[in-house]
Amino acid sequence: MIITLTTDFSDSGGFVAQLKAELLKLFGEDVKIIDITHNITPFHSIEAAYIIKTTLPAFPKGSIHIVVVDPGVGTPRSIVAVKCKGQYIISPDNEALALVEPEAIREVDKAEINPESSKTFEARDIMVKAAYLLSKKGFENIGRPKDSLNHSLKPTIENKKITGHIVYIDNFGNCISNIREEHIKNGFTRIRLKNLEFRHLEETYHSPTSLYKALINSAGYLEFAYFKKKFSEEFGVDYLDEVNVYLP
């Protein structure tokens, strides 16, 4: 059994160790616990969304992914189990799931799983236990069905214009949108981000035609980069800034 952890807990403190200890108690020593990252910017659930979306395809079917970027911890907000391409995500129902394309959703019954849960550490007391129950009882026997997730960051297409947003800014300052290669496979006339326009895509970060550029990244998303500089800082780009692609 593979369990992954994605949190904003950072590498300091004991929160991550407590999650792992609880997983070992429940699953036993055969469980494989993989840290995707614990360095999500605190409370930044949108930042987690891109990481989850692009990392999950690397894992085998049956893997369970616990995602904890949870500014609403302890409130009535939902915790959900999401089935996605044969894998499962346990997460608060917030923007961290906004890029996921769910096959099915179950809302976790928090009181049933652990009526004595801490209000400030539901990741340990509810989400870990939900992952264990899912592995033992099956996805269909966790909580109750839910029709849809609370948040979506899918781009829209209208009047020959794709409207998307910046959903991730990486360590190099590259700005990644939620527009995928497949959305522009038939070409485009121009791409606009803030006051910048792009008429073509580059293939690499190091391109002789321009220091800053638009390209399709290794995950298949439209990305904006600046060679050896941070595109986000050079042009003041931030999360959820609008990206427009004009189609022929």
Side-chain angles (χ1 to χ4, degrees), residues 21 32-33 38 46 50 67 75 92 99 116 121 132 143 184 191 198 208 215 219 236:
K32 294 182 176 65
I33 303 171
H38 299 293
I46 293 175
Y50 178 79
V67 182
T75 69
L99 293 175
E116 298 180 354
F121 202 2
Y132 177 72
I184 54 177
I191 298 170
F198 303 85
L215 70 160

Side-chain angles (χ1 to χ4, degrees), residues 188-204:
F188 60 89
T189 58
R190 59 194 172 102
I191 298 170
R192 189 169 183 84
L193 169 61
K194 297 178 82 74
N195 63 341
L196 302 171
E197 281 200 355
F198 303 85
R199 299 284 179 169
H200 67 279
L201 298 176
E202 301 289 353
E203 293 185 349
T204 67

